[in-house]
Amino acid sequence: MLKEERRRAGMTQEQLSETSGVPRRTIQDWERWGVSPVIAGNLVALADALGCTVDAILGRESPC
């Protein structure tokens, strides 16, 4: 899914790395093997339990 979204945005892995601050190697690994379902699933479960968003837990938007 990440690879398709990156391509849809017209970006290379290097460009996405520079824009997002995520190391290119991490992007490469996520595209190859996917984002760990444990990490993603746990963040979603925490956000649901708290009644907020994953972005709020990560500090990217207003707290819950």
Side-chain angles (χ1 to χ4, degrees), residues 7-48:
R7 286 182 172 172
R8 190 170 298 132
M11 299 177 85
T12 65
Q13 288 179 344
E14 189 63 35
Q15 290 168 325
L16 181 56
S17 174
E18 291 172 7
T19 302
S20 67
V22 175
R24 187 198 55 79
R25 177 61 191 225
T26 300
I27 292 168
Q28 183 181 36
D29 289 348
W30 287 350
E31 286 186 0
R32 185 175 296 152
W33 297 298
V35 176
S36 167
V38 172
I39 293 170
N42 286 343
L43 284 173
V44 170
L46 288 172
D48 287 347

Side-chain angles (χ1 to χ4, degrees), residues 1-11 30-31:
M1 189 61 114
L2 174 60
K3 188 175 193 174
E4 290 81 18
E5 291 300 324
R6 176 180 57 77
R7 286 182 172 172
R8 190 170 298 132
M11 299 177 85
W30 287 350
E31 286 186 0

